């Protein structure tokens, strides 16, 4: 389908953008682990191919996790870190619905068994995101590796930097500009949300508490809004 192809093309460009965000933290290159852990990327791909078909919705989850990681201090896997005081990035409101952490941990354990202390979690998350999309029928895009894992994970930074579904255009553009990203990047990264599903709390305010007839946001397609109210977000 033409629409589906366009969406997948958007995803390729999107994660090219994310690669640039992460490149500030390390010198990225293709096949970074060719000498130090030559089977690394194949191990990731094999695990993804084995398990993602059983839970294909995780592809969208890993894309989202990857973006939420990259938008805070670059693509450094800081979103994976835990905090005994509940002050890590994963404790931030936008990250409370992230899932798939155990999947990343299992991939990490396989790589540690093959090459202890070599492959970064940041590269693992980036590769899993790409390979999950490919496995569910999406396109392939090149992923340079060599990212360094971050050691700082701050809930406030995540709450401040990760865009909210309730932000207006001006705020979104400011948040992206703060990361060195422009209007084109904003459009492409927003388009990445064409994979996966949304949650009713993200749109319920526009369905029930807006200024249009019946509480519907007048900027929404009225037929689509009524369908959501009747069948999805009651």
């Amino acid at each position: 389908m033409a629409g589906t192809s366009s969406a997948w093309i958007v995803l390729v460009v999107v994660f090219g953008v994310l690669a640039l965000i992460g490149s500030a933290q390390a010198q990225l290159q293709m096949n970074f682990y060719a000498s130090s852990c030559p089977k690394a990327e194949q191990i990731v791909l094999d695990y993804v191919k084995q398990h993602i078909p059983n839970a294909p919705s995780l592809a969208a989850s890993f894309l989202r996790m990857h973006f939420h990681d990259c938008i805070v201090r670059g693509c450094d896997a800081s979103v994976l870190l835990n905090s005994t005081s509940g002050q890590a990035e994963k404790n931030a409101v936008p990250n409370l619905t992230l899932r798939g952490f155990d999947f990343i941990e299992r991939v990490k354990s396989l790589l540690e068994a093959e090459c202890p202390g070599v492959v970064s979690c940041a590269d693992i998350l980036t590769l899993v995101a790409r390979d999950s999309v490919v496995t569910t029928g999406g396109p392939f895009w090149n992923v340079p590796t060599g990212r360094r894992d971050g050691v700082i994970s701050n809930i406030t930074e995540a709450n401040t930097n990760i865009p909210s579904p309730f932000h207006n255009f001006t705020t979104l553009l400011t948040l992206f500009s703060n990361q060195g990203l422009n209007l084109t990047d904003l459009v492409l990264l927003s388009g990445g949300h064409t994979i996966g599903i949304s949650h009713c709390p993200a749109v319920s305010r526009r369905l029930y508490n807006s200024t249009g007839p019946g509480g519907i946001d007048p900027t929404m397609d009225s037929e689509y809004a009524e369908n959501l109210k009747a069948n999805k977000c009651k």
Side-chain angles (χ1 to χ4, degrees):
M1 294 175 62
T4 301
S5 297
S6 298
W8 285 128
I9 292 171
V10 165
L11 283 174
V12 174
V13 181
V14 163
F15 290 96
V17 171
L18 291 182
L20 292 177
I21 297 175
S23 66
Q25 305 298 322
Q27 295 299 315
L28 305 185
Q29 64 186 61
M30 297 303 299
N31 301 313
F32 178 82
Y33 300 106
S35 297
S36 58
C37 191
K39 296 181 181 178
E41 294 192 24
Q42 189 63 49
I43 289 173
V44 175
L45 179 60
D46 289 345
Y47 190 84
V48 167
K49 281 186 173 181
Q50 180 181 357
H51 295 285
I52 286 297
N54 299 321
S57 65
L58 277 175
S61 299
F62 289 133
L63 288 176
R64 182 167 179 252
M65 185 188 296
H66 184 35
F67 173 64
H68 283 209
D69 177 47
C70 293
I71 207 70
V72 182
R73 293 180 176 265
C75 308
D76 64 351
S78 53
V79 73
L80 303 177
L81 297 177
N82 295 313
S83 167
T84 56
S85 60
Q87 296 299 304
E89 287 176 36
K90 65 167 53 177
N91 303 116
V93 173
N95 291 333
L96 294 178
T97 52
L98 292 181
R99 65 193 185 104
F101 292 109
D102 55 338
F103 189 102
I104 301 297
E105 289 178 3
R106 288 196 292 270
V107 175
K108 175 66 172 176
S109 66
L110 291 174
L111 290 168
E112 285 297 299
E114 177 73 18
C115 313
V118 173
V119 183
S120 69
C121 292
D123 280 337
I124 292 171
L125 178 53
T126 306
L127 290 167
V128 167
R130 190 273 307 277
D131 292 345
S132 296
V133 169
V134 174
T135 301
T136 52
F140 175 91
W141 65 90
N142 288 321
V143 172
T145 45
R147 292 164 186 79
R148 313 283 170 76
D149 287 338
V151 295
I152 298 174
S153 187
N154 185 288
I155 187 173
T156 301
E157 292 181 348
N159 280 325
T160 300
N161 291 314
I162 297 174
S164 163
F166 306 117
H167 283 153
N168 60 29
F169 174 76
T170 302
T171 302
L172 288 172
L173 191 58
T174 298
L175 287 172
F176 277 71
S177 296
N178 291 342
Q179 301 292 336
L181 303 174
N182 59 25
L183 176 59
T184 301
D185 300 324
L186 169 59
V187 173
L188 291 171
L189 287 163
S190 298
H193 289 78
T194 53
I195 180 176
I197 61 173
S198 184
H199 300 275
C200 285
V203 295
S204 60
R205 183 170 62 179
R206 300 182 67 194
L207 297 175
Y208 294 97
N209 299 304
S210 197
T211 58
I216 294 177
D217 184 338
T219 65
M220 290 187 74
D221 179 275
S222 59
E223 184 177 348
Y224 178 56
E226 290 292 356
N227 180 55
L228 287 176
K229 291 181 69 170
N231 301 304
K232 298 293 184 180
C233 300
K234 300 178 181 182

